[in-house]
Amino acid sequence: HRVVELPFFKEFTKTSLVNREVEVPLGVDCNISDYKTSMKTAKLVWVPNRNGIFINVAAGFAEGLGASCVIVGFNAEEGTTFPDNTQEFLTSLDQSLTYSTATQIKVKSYTTKKNKTEIVHRGTELNAPFNLMWPCYDSASEKCGQCESCLRFQRALDDALKFRPLRDLEI
């Protein structure tokens, strides 16, 4: 595990994910069931080319470490509001990385066509440690439970519980 600091994001965007003076939309301001509201809040947390930069940094590490791919966890739900969470984006990155990595690193996501509830279902089959997952937009020591990402994660857990109990997992 390696943490790579990317402080330069603050130089080209002032959105709430990099500027703590701007508040992240919380609670009722997020209304994750309403597409128009989700599009509005997406603009407040959008960081230009964030996933592109993350994946390019990861591709550099992957090539340097002798790996053949970078695996990301995009999903269909977030792909509706964030274009850099789609299969089309990943396909274009694969094409780009054939030019920027000597070993032609690939980007893979096994979840781009799944919603978060489907992902939680699969996670239970694999005994995924849900208590170690961090969906929160905040970098505090505890998840806020109120940002759009926390709300979507909790909804997926709740929906999955309706159909299949989560066995022995701390959530």
Side-chain angles (χ1 to χ4, degrees):
H1 177 78
R2 177 177 302 255
V3 174
V4 178
E5 297 288 336
L6 302 172
F8 62 87
F9 278 107
K10 290 179 182 176
E11 295 177 27
F12 63 83
T13 187
K14 302 296 181 211
T15 62
S16 61
L17 291 191
V18 296
N19 181 357
R20 291 300 170 198
E21 293 174 14
V22 177
E23 289 190 30
V24 172
L26 300 174
V28 294
D29 292 335
C30 294
N31 191 359
I32 59 175
S33 298
D34 180 64
Y35 179 73
K36 282 185 178 181
T37 303
S38 289
M39 291 304 292
K40 190 169 90 175
T41 57
K43 289 178 183 175
L44 298 173
V45 297
W46 175 257
V47 178
N49 199 31
R50 179 177 74 156
N51 284 339
I53 292 168
F54 287 166
I55 290 170
N56 274 281
V57 169
F61 273 96
E63 185 170 35
L65 296 170
S68 62
C69 68
V70 171
I71 298 175
V72 296
F74 298 160
N75 63 79
E77 192 173 326
E78 289 179 357
T80 62
T81 51
F82 297 107
D84 64 347
N85 276 260
T86 62
Q87 185 58 51
E88 293 79 10
F89 176 69
L90 295 178
T91 300
S92 69
L93 276 174
D94 275 350
Q95 194 173 22
S96 171
L97 290 172
T98 64
Y99 297 100
S100 64
T101 59
T103 59
Q104 300 184 344
I105 299 295
K106 298 290 183 202
V107 184
K108 297 182 181 191
S109 178
Y110 300 98
T111 55
T112 54
K113 301 223 183 295
K114 297 184 181 307
N115 65 39
K116 290 189 177 200
T117 300
E118 293 169 319
I119 295 167
V120 169
H121 278 290
R122 182 67 178 130
T124 61
E125 293 169 359
L126 298 170
N127 292 316
F130 289 93
N131 60 312
L132 298 178
M133 294 179 188
W134 189 267
C136 192
Y137 284 155
D138 198 357
S139 60
S141 60
E142 296 289 325
K143 298 174 191 98
C144 77
Q146 293 297 309
C147 70
E148 186 169 348
S149 189
C150 280
L151 293 172
R152 288 183 186 281
F153 183 66
Q154 189 60 52
R155 178 175 66 185
L157 292 172
D158 293 345
D159 287 351
L161 278 170
K162 290 176 191 173
F163 301 105
R164 171 193 254 162
L166 298 176
R167 304 176 306 272
D168 305 321
L169 295 175
E170 289 180 39
I171 299 174

